[in-house]
Amino acid sequence: MFSLDLIVNGVTVALFVIGLFFMFSGAIGFLRFPDFYTRLHATGKCDTLGEILIIVGLIIYDGLSPLSAKLLFLSFFMLLANPAGTHAMMRAAYVTGVRPWKRGEARQ
Amino acid sequence: MIEVFLVTGMLIATTILICLYRAVFGPGAFNRVAAASVIGTKTVVLVVIVGYIFERPGAFVDIALLYAILNFLGTLIFAKYLERGEVCSA
Amino acid sequence: MTRMSEKNFSVLVTLVVLTIFWLLLSPLTVDIYKFFIGELHHEHIPHVLFLLGSAIISIAIVTVISHDLMIKKEEQMWLKFKRLLAYLPWELYQILLANLDVAYRAIHPKSFESGRSGGMFGVGPIDPEIIQFETTLRSDLSLVTMANSITLTPGTITILVDPPIGKFWVHAIAKAPADALLVDQSMQKKVAHVYLEEG
C-alpha cells in the first residue's frame, strides 16, 4: 500500500512546497521592503534556503547517482556564493553612500 | 511526477516575474543589479526543473552549474564596478 | 600528523580537490568504471586515454599556477576542523530561524507603519540601523566564518570588515537582532572557540 516510490515522491513534493513558500516570501519581501539594504535581507536569506530545499528535493527524488552528486555540489556552491554576492553588493552600496531607510520616512 | 515539476516551474517563473518589477522600475542602479542577481539564482533552479520536465536532467544540470558560476561572477563584477567606477585598474 | 612543508601541503590539497571536481563533472567517470570491471570496448580505449591525459595535464597546470590561493597550513588544523564540524549544526538551525524571521517580516501587513513591537520572535517588524563593534578575532579564517555567520543568522548582514582591528559594520533589520550581536556576543565566543583564539 505504502510503496517506497510513494514515500519518496511525497517527501519531494513536501520539500518543493516549503522551498516555494520561502522563495515566494523572499520575492514579496524584495517587492515590499522600503530600501535597498532591507531588500537584500529578504533575497539573501529566503532565496538561498528556498532554492537549496528544492534542489535537496530533487536529490531525494533521484536517489543515489552521479546526478545527485552534481546537484549536491550545486547546492553547496549556492550556500557559499549567495551570501558572498549579497555581501559584495551591500559593501558597494555602503561605500558609495546609499542612505539607509529609517523608520518613519517614505519608502525609497 | 511530471505535473509536479510543471507546477513548480510555473511558480518559480511567477517569482521571477515579481522580481522583474524591481529590475524594471526599481529606483537606482543597485536595486536593478540586485534584481538581476536574484533572477539569475532563481533561473538556475528553473533550468534544473526544466531538465526534469524534458527527462534529460544530466545535460541541464551541467548548464545550471555553469550558469550559477557565471551569475556569481557577474554579480561580483557589477558590485565592483558600482563601488569603484572601473572593473580593472590599469 | 607527519610533518609536511607548507608548499607540499597546499599542492596536495589542491590536487585532491581538483581531481575530485574533475571526476564529478566528467562523463569519463563512467568509462573509467567500465574499464575496471572489464566492460569497456577496445575501440574506445585510445579516446579515453587521450582525454585522461589532457585532464592530468590541465590539473597539473592549474595546481602549479594557483596552489597558493587555495589553503594555507595552520597550527592544529585537525582540531579546528573537528570543532568547525561541531559548530555547523547550530549554524544550520540559525539559518532556518533567519528564514522564518525574514518571511514573517515580509508577509506581515503592517511592517512599516506602527512602532509597536510584538509578533513571532518578540520583535517589531522593521526598524533598520547600522551598528559597529570590535571583536578579538584576528585570523583570516575566523573573520570569514564570523562574517558569514552574521549574514546567515536572523536579521543581520555584514557590510564591512576591518581585519587588523577585527571591526565589523553590520546592518540590522530591527533592534532585537542588533542587541543579540552587541550584548550577548555568544556567536563571537563560539567562533573564537572553534579557531582557538581567546574570546
Side-chain angles (χ1 to χ4, degrees), chain A residues 21-22 25 28-29 32-35 37-38 40-42 45-47 49-50 66 69-70 73 79-80 83-84 86-87 90-91 94-95 100-104 107, chain C residues 21 24-25 95-96 98-100 102-103 105-109 111-115 126-130 148 151-160 169 171 173:
Chain A
F21 165 74
F22 279 128
S25 52
I28 289 169
R32 278 188 75 210
F33 278 174
D35 76 332
Y37 298 99
T38 42
L40 278 192
H41 272 277
K45 285 167 186 156
C46 282
D47 268 8
L49 188 72
K70 274 186 202 176
F73 173 75
L79 194 60
L80 285 178
T86 308
H87 171 65
M90 213 68 171
R91 180 193 149 97
Y94 187 71
V95 168
W101 176 86
K102 289 265 184 259
R103 179 173 276 281
R107 42 188 296 173
Chain C
F21 191 57
L24 183 64
L25 293 185
I95 291 175
L96 192 65
N99 278 277
L100 288 173
V102 172
R105 287 180 211 276
I107 298 171
H108 190 81
S111 275
F112 315 120
E113 290 99 14
S114 69
I126 291 186
D127 186 10
E129 59 180 334
I130 291 181
N148 265 340
T151 301
L152 290 171
T153 44
T156 48
I157 289 186
T158 317
I159 296 174
L160 279 175
W169 281 256
H171 184 270
I173 204 169

Side-chain angles (χ1 to χ4, degrees), chain C residues 7-153:
Chain C
K7 192 184 170 188
N8 284 348
F9 180 78
S10 64
V11 167
L12 188 70
V13 170
T14 315
L15 267 181
V16 170
V17 168
L18 285 178
T19 311
I20 290 174
F21 191 57
W22 181 81
L23 284 176
L24 183 64
L25 293 185
S26 169
L28 278 187
T29 313
V30 181
D31 285 343
I32 294 168
Y33 175 68
K34 274 187 193 165
F35 176 76
F36 277 117
I37 61 172
E39 276 185 12
L40 188 64
H41 201 275
H42 286 292
E43 286 173 2
H44 289 310
I45 288 182
H47 177 68
V48 169
L49 279 183
F50 169 71
L51 287 178
L52 209 59
S54 44
I56 290 172
I57 290 173
S58 40
I59 287 177
I61 291 175
V62 174
T63 306
V64 167
I65 292 174
S66 61
H67 69 85
D68 50 346
L69 297 177
M70 186 84 187
I71 196 168
K72 287 204 179 73
K73 187 166 178 155
E74 299 207 14
E75 310 260 312
Q76 290 177 293
M77 211 154 176
W78 188 236
L79 179 64
K80 285 179 187 174
F81 184 67
K82 277 194 284 189
R83 286 193 176 177
L84 189 63
L85 282 189
Y87 173 73
L88 279 183
W90 182 77
E91 191 61 40
L92 288 177
Y93 174 64
Q94 290 293 314
I95 291 175
L96 192 65
L97 277 190
N99 278 277
L100 288 173
D101 181 68
V102 172
Y104 170 74
R105 287 180 211 276
I107 298 171
H108 190 81
K110 288 183 181 172
S111 275
F112 315 120
E113 290 99 14
S114 69
R116 280 174 53 244
S117 61
M120 201 151 81
F121 296 99
V123 286
I126 291 186
D127 186 10
E129 59 180 334
I130 291 181
I131 56 173
Q132 309 171 8
F133 61 94
E134 290 187 14
T135 63
T136 53
L137 307 171
R138 288 294 181 274
S139 74
D140 288 350
L141 270 178
S142 61
L143 284 171
V144 167
T145 311
M146 182 75 188
N148 265 340
S149 305
I150 289 175
T151 301
L152 290 171
T153 44

Side-chain angles (χ1 to χ4, degrees), chain A residues 9 16 27 44 46 54 61 66 71 77 82 88 92 95-96 98-99 101:
Chain A
N9 288 357
F16 277 10
C46 282
I54 290 179
Y61 176 72
L71 285 171
F77 181 78
N82 264 357
V95 168
T96 51
V98 175
R99 218 168 47 80
W101 176 86

Side-chain angles (χ1 to χ4, degrees), chain A residues 42-60:
Chain A
T43 61
K45 285 167 186 156
C46 282
D47 268 8
T48 314
L49 188 72
E51 285 152 14
I52 285 175
L53 282 178
I54 290 179
I55 292 179
V56 167
L58 287 175
I59 291 174
I60 289 175

